[in-house]
């Protein structure tokens, strides 16, 4: 209890000391102001010059005193220029009337007494005391929140964006309780509701008119009023027209309709002067007005279309070509990145239409270069591609430009570039097979891209029985009748037979008992014969390489190699030496003895081994976009249904389509002897060599 009393006594003493110091400061301030007020009142009735000189003297003394005072002294604070009037302002103020003694001014805390007049007043002397904190205001515990809007920050009236509802980007925040929106958002919401109301009204008018017309047709009423009387035609108002034009349905309709019109205007797809009596007779055309042609008669090749988009194809290289298995007029082309456009997608797939050559039908994008792509033979809307980053991508023509599925960049897939992708199986059970340059082969399901269903590592068995090396595959090919066996071309030039699963006497992976050696440079393509005829030619394989050659192989059956009958190294049956590197070679899907190849010099060559094995029967250079510059061709692909058309692509990003005559494509005139002649030729070459078998 005594301690509490001592604390109260100490606090009272402290408060008394604070009051005494406050009174002392007030007396000192009043004394200084009283001296100044007395001096001014003394000279109010005298001459103006005397008043001004007295004020100047007082101001000069205060200025000199402020220079010596401390920063925290009252004299220093009172001598600020903002709190002192000039001599002219003081004289004007006092000339209007005398000051009333004892009346407090706007800034005086207490009345100022008027001292007795004196002829001379010495300057006041002021003393300073140490500053003491009387009361400290604590900060507020509630944080102040400032809200800014467009109207606060600007003085001009802000007009909302004039955009359609589908692209306005404004969320329906008004429907959420407890939320506030700016006036422009509420206005945009009202505009969208108004547009939707107008669209619905126009739709109801059209439906009512169609319903009336249908009832009139079905009932057959005689003398019924005309449709123009009941439903007169009228012009839409500007508001209604804007609501219709800005709708998503109108945009989709316009996009689809323009494609239809462009296809209809394509006059090059149908020759109105066609003579059906001479159709298929391969009339000789020696004139130069027929366009870019190569070959003669039934081996004639003619360029019919060239696809290039200034926006997307520029500075890109074609890395893959494939025709649609369902729509023969559609073909896709995959492209690498454009080094001069870092903000555009690196990977690109364009689907071109033979009936619309000015722009692509679809454009699909990817985050990495697309090295290969092809249509799914079992789902015509799906496109599968392999990227430089090691991802397998799946696009859908019914969706947007981005892939609908893609494999993850994890340890469960590829970590190296994918140069080969194929789709094997049946309509109800098919898989995507991808192969990367690190020797990893993965099998993927169309429905699950999170992880592969099967993973196979290709190892190269060394003949010296030393360390096993990884195979670096560049291409793969599956036979038509066996989805569990495939050939893999490698960077070292050897073609390896591979098994997806364990067989009797052979394990999954590279077959150690046999290898196809003949190329001395990386193998660029491997292609099994289509084998769609009466004679089985499925054991024939065509390959191309950077060693300036294409080769024909006879592949041993997987069952024969697995039982131990393999003899190690297999040599090619035929060797087609060319004048430049051969990038791609493909069998014709219809003609059993015909294949096409493209080389680094930019030539497309058509070969018929039943006619000639030393020289191509036709060759042609695609039309170059820049005169005098020939670009190498990287890829070639046949149209699979009729085999009358093939496409090529090169490093300039241009895709060129050619038509071939009846001797190189088409089912017209195809005979059973065409298959048997190829079989006899292969058997003779296999038994006696090429010289003993060449019978043309």
């Amino acid at each position: 209890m005594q301690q509490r009393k001592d604390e109260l006594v100490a606090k009272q003493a402290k408060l008394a000391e604070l009051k005494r110091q406050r009174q002392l400061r007030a007396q000192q301030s009043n004394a200084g102001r009283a001296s100044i007020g007395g001096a001014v009142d003394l000279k109010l009735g005298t001459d103006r010059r005397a008043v001004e000189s007295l004020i100047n003297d007082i101001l000069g003394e205060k200025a000199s005193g402020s220079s010596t005072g401390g920063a925290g002294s009252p004299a220093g604070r009172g001598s600020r220029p903002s709190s002192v009037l000039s001599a002219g302002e003081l004289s004007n103020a006092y000339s209007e009337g005398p000051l009333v003694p004892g009346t407090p001014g706007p800034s005086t805390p207490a009345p100022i007494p008027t001292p007795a007049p004196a002829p001379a007043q010495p300057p006041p002397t002021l003393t300073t005391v140490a500053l003491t904190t009387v009361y400290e205001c604590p900060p507020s515990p509630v944080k102040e929140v400032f809200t800014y809007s467009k109207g606060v920050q600007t003085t001009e009236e802000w007009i909302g964006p004039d955009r359609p509802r589908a692209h306005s980007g404004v969320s329906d925040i008004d429907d959420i309780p407890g939320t506030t929106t700016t006036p422009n958002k509420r206005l945009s919401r009202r505009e969208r509701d108004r547009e939707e109301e107008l669209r619905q009204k126009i739709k109801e008018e059209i439906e009512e008119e169609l319903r009336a017309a249908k009832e009139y047709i079905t009932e057959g009423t005689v003398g019924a009023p005309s449709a123009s009387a009941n439903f007169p035609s009228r012009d839409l108002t500007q508001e209604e027209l804007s609501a219709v034009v800005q709708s998503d349905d109108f945009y989709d309709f316009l996009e689809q309709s323009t494609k239809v019109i462009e296809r209809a205007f394509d006059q090059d797809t149908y020759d109105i002067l066609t003579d059906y009596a001479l159709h298929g007779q391969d009339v000789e055309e020696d004139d130069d007005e027929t366009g870019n042609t190569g070959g003669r008669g039934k081996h004639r090749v003619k360029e019919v279309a060239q696809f290039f988009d200034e926006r997307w194809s520029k500075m890109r290289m074609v890395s893959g070509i494939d025709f649609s298995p369902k729509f023969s007029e559609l073909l896709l082309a995959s492209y690498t990145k454009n080094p001069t456009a870092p903000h555009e997608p690196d990977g690109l797939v364009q689907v071109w239409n033979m009936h619309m050559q000015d722009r692509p039908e679809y454009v699909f994008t990817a985050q990495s270069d697309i090295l290969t792509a092809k249509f799914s033979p079992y789902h015509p809307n799906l496109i599968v591609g392999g990227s430089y980053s090691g991802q397998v991508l799946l696009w859908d023509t019914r969706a947007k430009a981005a892939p609908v599925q893609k494999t993850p960049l994890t340890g469960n897939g590829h970590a190296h570039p994918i140069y080969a992708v194929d789709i094997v199986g049946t309509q109800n059970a098919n898989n995507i097979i991808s192969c990367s340059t690190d020797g990893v082969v993965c099998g993927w399901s169309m429905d699950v891209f999170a992880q592969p269903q099967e993973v196979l590592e290709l190892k190269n068995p060394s003949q010296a029985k030393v360390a096993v090396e990884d195979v670096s595959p560049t291409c793969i090919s599956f036979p038509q009748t066996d989805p569990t066996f495939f050939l893999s071309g490698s960077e070292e030039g050897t073609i390896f037979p591979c098994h997806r699963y364990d067989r009797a006497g052979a394990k999954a992976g590279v077959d150690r008992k046999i290898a196809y050696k003949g190329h001395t440079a990386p193998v660029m393509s491997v292609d099994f014969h289509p084998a769609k005829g009466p004679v089985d030619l499925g054991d024939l394989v065509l390959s191309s390489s950077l060693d300036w050659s294409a080769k024909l192989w006879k592949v041993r059956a997987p069952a024969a190699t697995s039982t131990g009958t393999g003899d190690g190294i297999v040599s090619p049956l035929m060797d087609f030496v060319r004048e430049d590197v051969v990038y791609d070679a493909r069998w014709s899907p219809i003609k059993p003895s015909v294949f096409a190849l493209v080389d680094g010099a930019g030539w497309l060559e058509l070969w018929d081994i039943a006619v000639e094995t030393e020289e191509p029967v036709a060759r042609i250079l695609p039309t170059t976009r820049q005169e005098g510059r020939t670009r190498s061709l990287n890829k070639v692909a046949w149209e699979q249904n009729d085999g009358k058309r093939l496409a090529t692509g090169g490093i300039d990003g241009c895709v060129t389509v050619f038509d071939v005559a009846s001797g190189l494509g088409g089912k017209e005139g195809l005979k059973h002897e065409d298959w048997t002649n190829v079989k006899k030729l292969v058997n003779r070459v296999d038994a006696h060599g090429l010289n003993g078998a060449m019978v043309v």
Side-chain angles (χ1 to χ4, degrees), residues 16-243:
E17 179 64 22
L18 292 175
K19 290 181 180 180
R20 189 186 64 80
Q21 292 180 2
R22 182 181 299 175
Q23 292 175 359
L24 180 61
R25 287 196 301 271
Q27 292 175 1
Q28 293 175 354
S29 177
N30 293 337
R33 293 174 181 173
S35 62
I36 297 175
V40 173
D41 294 337
L42 182 64
K43 298 294 182 179
L44 284 178
T46 61
D47 188 48
R48 181 169 180 171
R49 293 183 179 178
V51 175
E52 292 178 354
S53 61
L54 177 61
I55 293 174
N56 291 334
D57 294 339
I58 295 174
L59 293 177
E61 291 174 359
K62 292 182 69 64
S64 62
S66 64
S67 62
T68 59
S73 65
R77 291 193 300 270
S79 61
R80 290 178 297 179
S82 61
S83 62
V84 179
L85 297 177
S86 63
E89 291 174 345
L90 283 175
S91 61
N92 294 335
Y94 295 140
S95 62
E96 296 177 359
L99 294 176
V100 179
T103 304
S107 60
T108 57
I112 302 176
T114 304
Q121 182 71 23
T125 58
L126 303 177
T127 60
T128 61
V129 295
L131 296 177
T132 304
T133 302
V134 179
Y135 178 75
E136 183 178 359
C137 181
S140 175
V142 180
K143 187 176 181 180
E144 187 175 4
V145 180
F146 297 92
T147 303
Y148 296 94
S149 64
K150 193 74 176 182
V152 174
Q153 300 181 23
T154 59
T155 57
E156 298 180 358
E157 183 181 0
W158 183 64
I159 302 176
D162 187 11
R163 291 182 295 179
R165 180 189 182 194
H167 305 282
S168 63
V170 180
S171 61
D172 295 339
I173 196 171
D174 293 337
D175 299 335
I176 303 176
T179 58
T180 58
T181 58
T182 57
N184 65 292
K185 288 188 177 181
R186 289 195 297 268
L187 182 60
S188 178
R189 176 80 183 278
R190 289 196 297 269
E191 288 179 352
R192 297 200 309 269
D193 294 342
R194 176 60 177 168
E195 290 179 358
E196 187 65 26
E197 181 182 353
L198 291 175
R199 295 193 198 105
Q200 189 66 26
K201 180 180 179 182
I202 296 174
K203 184 178 180 181
E204 291 176 356
E205 291 180 0
I206 296 175
E207 291 178 351
E208 184 180 358
E209 183 176 357
L210 292 176
R211 192 183 310 110
K214 184 177 180 181
E215 292 176 356
Y216 174 71
I217 294 175
T218 54
E219 294 177 0
T221 306
V222 180
S226 61
S228 60
N230 292 334
F231 303 97
S233 60
R234 66 180 182 89
D235 295 335
L236 298 178
T237 63
Q238 188 64 30
E239 187 180 11
E240 293 176 339
L241 184 62
S242 177

Side-chain angles (χ1 to χ4, degrees), residues 139-424:
S140 175
V142 180
K143 187 176 181 180
E144 187 175 4
V145 180
F146 297 92
T147 303
Y148 296 94
S149 64
K150 193 74 176 182
V152 174
Q153 300 181 23
T154 59
T155 57
E156 298 180 358
E157 183 181 0
W158 183 64
I159 302 176
D162 187 11
R163 291 182 295 179
R165 180 189 182 194
H167 305 282
S168 63
V170 180
S171 61
D172 295 339
I173 196 171
D174 293 337
D175 299 335
I176 303 176
T179 58
T180 58
T181 58
T182 57
N184 65 292
K185 288 188 177 181
R186 289 195 297 268
L187 182 60
S188 178
R189 176 80 183 278
R190 289 196 297 269
E191 288 179 352
R192 297 200 309 269
D193 294 342
R194 176 60 177 168
E195 290 179 358
E196 187 65 26
E197 181 182 353
L198 291 175
R199 295 193 198 105
Q200 189 66 26
K201 180 180 179 182
I202 296 174
K203 184 178 180 181
E204 291 176 356
E205 291 180 0
I206 296 175
E207 291 178 351
E208 184 180 358
E209 183 176 357
L210 292 176
R211 192 183 310 110
K214 184 177 180 181
E215 292 176 356
Y216 174 71
I217 294 175
T218 54
E219 294 177 0
T221 306
V222 180
S226 61
S228 60
N230 292 334
F231 303 97
S233 60
R234 66 180 182 89
D235 295 335
L236 298 178
T237 63
Q238 188 64 30
E239 187 180 11
E240 293 176 339
L241 184 62
S242 177
V244 172
V245 171
Q246 294 179 1
S247 63
D248 288 342
D249 295 338
F250 180 79
Y251 177 80
D252 296 338
F253 166 76
L254 189 64
E255 179 73 13
Q256 184 65 27
S257 301
T258 53
K259 290 182 180 180
V260 174
I261 297 300
E262 288 186 36
R263 296 171 195 159
F265 282 163
D266 187 11
Q267 299 295 333
D268 296 335
T269 59
Y270 178 70
D271 185 9
I272 60 176
L273 300 178
T274 299
D275 189 351
Y276 294 99
L278 300 177
H279 182 68
Q281 295 186 8
D282 303 312
V283 180
E284 294 284 348
E285 298 183 11
D286 297 331
D287 56 320
D288 297 334
E289 297 180 359
T290 57
N292 187 14
T293 59
R296 297 282 182 175
K298 63 180 182 179
H299 293 148
R300 182 171 169 271
V301 182
K302 180 181 179 181
E303 179 181 328
V304 294
Q306 199 168 64
F307 300 106
F308 185 86
D309 188 84
E310 291 292 341
R311 162 78 192 286
W312 295 108
S313 305
K314 189 176 181 181
M315 300 297 294
R316 296 180 185 265
M317 182 181 68
V318 177
S319 58
I321 298 177
D322 189 35
F323 278 87
S324 173
K326 184 175 182 179
F327 306 103
S328 59
E329 67 272 12
L330 297 181
L331 73 154
L332 66 81
S334 61
Y335 302 83
T336 58
K337 67 179 178 182
N338 181 2
T340 63
H343 300 292
E344 291 186 358
D346 289 348
L348 190 70
V349 174
Q350 296 185 90
V351 178
W352 296 96
N353 193 335
M354 288 296 299
H355 304 318
M356 190 176 64
Q357 303 180 11
D358 293 335
R359 58 168 174 162
E361 188 80 21
Y362 301 101
V363 177
F364 302 103
T365 59
Q367 297 178 351
S368 181
D369 301 40
I370 303 300
L371 305 179
T372 180
K374 67 181 308 180
F375 282 102
S376 171
Y378 309 108
H379 304 85
N381 297 107
L382 301 182
I383 298 174
V384 180
S387 67
Y388 186 81
S389 63
Q391 285 183 306
V392 180
L393 309 173
L394 182 67
W395 295 277
D396 195 331
T397 57
R398 299 162 295 185
K400 301 295 184 181
V404 295
Q405 289 196 69
K406 55 185 177 181
T407 60
L409 290 173
T410 61
N412 294 330
H414 297 286
H416 287 248
I418 301 175
Y419 283 94
V421 168
D422 204 350
I423 302 174
V424 297

